[in-house]
């Protein structure tokens, strides 16, 4: 059984607005929609600053892995600037493969929908269902 | 010449900050900084402010998201010293920032190359065996004030090279 679940997924657009948010485990922190919007904006800012603060020459991405005592966060930025970030149990290994699969699902269910406007909030039942299937049952 | 910290394992240490609970930079050590401060924050002082601000915001962000935290997520409320989620590190594709906040509110930040593995233990060693030993236990040192200490610097360089 999964003792190391994924807690939540967030998708933010190029301006830092929240496009999608969902929880996948009971343990995930319960927050109001307002809180989610604020936190997404905060993360967007943090992502930008961590990219600037790099001591190395050349460009850096924003933070990709964040480790704390209580959870682990991994992010992925698509080539078009959309940022996906997942929070999960700290003991769980790397979830790069999950982020890639989520991006794949986004491309399939959201982008290929002719009525979907880019950068807008996502409301798509099939996308929700596919994510639940991927993230709730993924025990690796 | 100059201070370089290339460990045998290939990990590079870039720089190191100590902040007190008010955000004043107590100590700054730099081994390598390929991207000069002028290209980043501008001045060293702004760089310190940015670092402190970044870790302060990160800690607030983590405390809000932490599933093991207390029930009510109080976004925006000040977090009492010593409480809140302990964030340990983050990595981008070019560097890693390792963080330690002690129960008294002293913050240590160490920027390294990505490498592997967690440096939490190393951060505790820096705090306990180097900062506490050579700075806090110095009877002439005022707690919470900026410091420069040759023994601290020497021990820190030595330790960082051994990582």
């Amino acid at each position: 059984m999964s003792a190391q679940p994924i807690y939540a997924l967030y998708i933010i657009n190029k301006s830092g607005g929240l496009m999608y948010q969902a929880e996948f485990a009971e343990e995930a922190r319960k927050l109001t929609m307002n809180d989610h919007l604020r936190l997404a904006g905060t993360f967007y800012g943090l992502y930008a600053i961590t990219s600037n603060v790099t001591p190395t020459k050349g460009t850096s991405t924003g933070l990709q892995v964040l480790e704390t005592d209580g959870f682990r966060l991994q992010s992925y930025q698509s080539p078009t600037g959309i940022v996906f970030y997942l929070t999960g149990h700290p003991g769980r290994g790397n979830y790069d493969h999950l982020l890639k699969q989520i991006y794949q699902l986004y491309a399939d269910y959201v982008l290929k929908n002719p009525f979907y406007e880019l950068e807008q909030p996502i409301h798509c039942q099939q996308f929700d269902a596919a994510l639940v299937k991927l993230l709730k049952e993924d025990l690796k | 010449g100059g201070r370089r910290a290339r460990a045998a394992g290939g990990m590079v240490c870039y720089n190191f900050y100590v902040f007190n609970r008010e955000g004043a930079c107590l100590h700054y050590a730099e081994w390598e900084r390929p991207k000069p401060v002028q290209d980043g924050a501008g001045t060293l002082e702004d760089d310190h402010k940015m670092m402190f601000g970044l870790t302060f915001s990160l800690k607030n962000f983590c405390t809000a998201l932490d599933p093991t935290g207390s029930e009510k997520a109080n976004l925006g409320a000040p977090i009492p010293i010593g409480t809140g989620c302990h964030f340990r590190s983050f990595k981008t594709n070019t560097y890693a920032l390792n963080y330690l906040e002690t129960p008294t509110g002293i913050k240590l930040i160490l920027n390294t190359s990505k490498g592997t593995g967690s440096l939490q233990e190393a951060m505790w060693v820096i705090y306990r065996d180097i900062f506490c030993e050579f700075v806090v236990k110095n009877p002439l040192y005022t707690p919470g004030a900026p410091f420069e200490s040759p023994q601290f610097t020497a021990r820190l360089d030595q330790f960082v090279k051994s990582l």
Side-chain angles (χ1 to χ4, degrees):
Chain A
M1 281 280 99
S2 177
Q4 301 182 335
I6 292 287
Y7 296 138
L9 166 70
Y10 298 79
I11 307 180
I12 54 184
N13 65 20
K14 286 204 294 283
S15 338
L18 183 63
M19 284 162 55
Y20 187 80
Q21 176 277 327
E23 273 118 27
F24 299 98
E26 276 314 299
E27 298 93 330
R29 198 61 183 270
K30 304 285 180 292
L31 298 167
T32 66
M33 199 56 203
N34 221 17
D35 289 343
H36 287 307
L37 287 166
R38 279 184 63 180
L39 285 179
T42 307
F43 183 79
Y44 174 75
L46 291 172
Y47 193 85
I49 297 181
T50 50
S51 163
N52 278 337
V53 142
T54 174
T56 58
K57 263 197 163 43
T59 52
S60 168
T61 64
L63 70 95
Q64 292 178 323
V65 180
L66 173 68
E67 278 167 21
T68 77
D69 283 358
F71 68 96
R72 183 188 165 104
L73 182 153
Q74 272 190 241
S75 78
Y76 169 70
Q77 183 172 45
S78 80
T80 52
I82 308 291
V83 177
F84 301 77
Y85 64 99
L86 270 180
T87 57
H89 191 276
R92 205 186 163 103
N94 209 313
Y95 9 102
D96 280 342
H97 64 287
L98 285 178
L99 283 164
K100 291 275 168 351
Q101 286 174 288
I102 292 170
Y103 183 54
Q104 187 70 42
L105 291 175
Y106 168 77
D108 285 340
Y109 289 107
V110 179
L111 293 181
K112 291 180 186 173
N113 178 350
F115 298 109
Y116 174 69
E117 281 179 64
L118 288 177
E119 315 262 311
Q120 294 306 309
I122 296 168
H123 300 292
C124 171
Q125 279 179 334
Q126 285 155 323
F127 184 59
D128 295 339
L131 283 176
V132 165
K133 188 151 180 276
L134 173 69
L135 297 174
K136 261 199 157 135
E137 297 174 0
D138 184 287
L139 301 176
K140 293 164 206 85
Chain B
R3 302 163 73 182
R4 296 277 298 228
R6 298 248 163 182
M11 190 175 76
V12 181
C13 287
Y14 295 114
N15 50 15
F16 173 75
Y17 305 73
V18 181
F19 291 103
N20 69 4
R21 51 171 80 180
E22 272 102 39
C25 184
L26 305 186
H27 189 82
Y28 171 69
E30 182 177 299
W31 296 283
E32 273 182 64
R33 192 160 191 158
K35 179 180 171 189
V37 176
Q38 292 73 18
D39 290 351
T43 66
L44 209 55
E45 203 192 321
D46 283 347
D47 179 71
H48 294 333
K49 285 185 195 160
M50 194 181 260
M51 267 302 170
F52 179 79
L54 173 65
T55 51
F56 181 81
S57 303
L58 265 172
K59 186 181 167 181
N60 279 2
F61 176 77
C62 292
T63 306
L65 274 184
D66 187 5
T68 62
S70 60
E71 317 67 35
K72 197 64 199 88
N74 224 338
L75 283 190
I79 303 173
I81 308 279
T83 63
C85 177
H86 297 109
F87 108 80
R88 298 173 171 191
S89 70
F90 72 77
K91 292 187 178 79
T92 74
N93 67 338
T94 55
Y95 73 101
L97 184 146
N98 302 282
Y99 180 79
L100 177 67
E101 184 169 336
T102 70
T104 52
I106 301 288
K107 304 165 183 15
L108 289 85
I109 298 173
L110 179 67
N111 290 331
T112 65
S113 59
K114 282 176 65 184
T116 51
S118 156
L119 286 180
Q120 267 292 291
E121 272 311 306
M123 297 298 281
W124 276 112
V125 170
I126 295 177
Y127 175 69
R128 203 183 48 228
D129 299 339
I130 308 180
F131 177 71
C132 285
E133 274 305 303
F134 295 100
V135 178
V136 176
K137 290 185 183 175
N138 181 345
L140 301 173
Y141 174 66
T142 332
F147 64 88
E148 287 298 329
S149 153
Q151 287 106 331
F152 175 83
T153 303
R155 274 294 285 138
L156 181 65
D157 282 357
Q158 189 188 15
F159 178 71
V160 144
K161 285 187 176 73
S162 74
L163 286 174

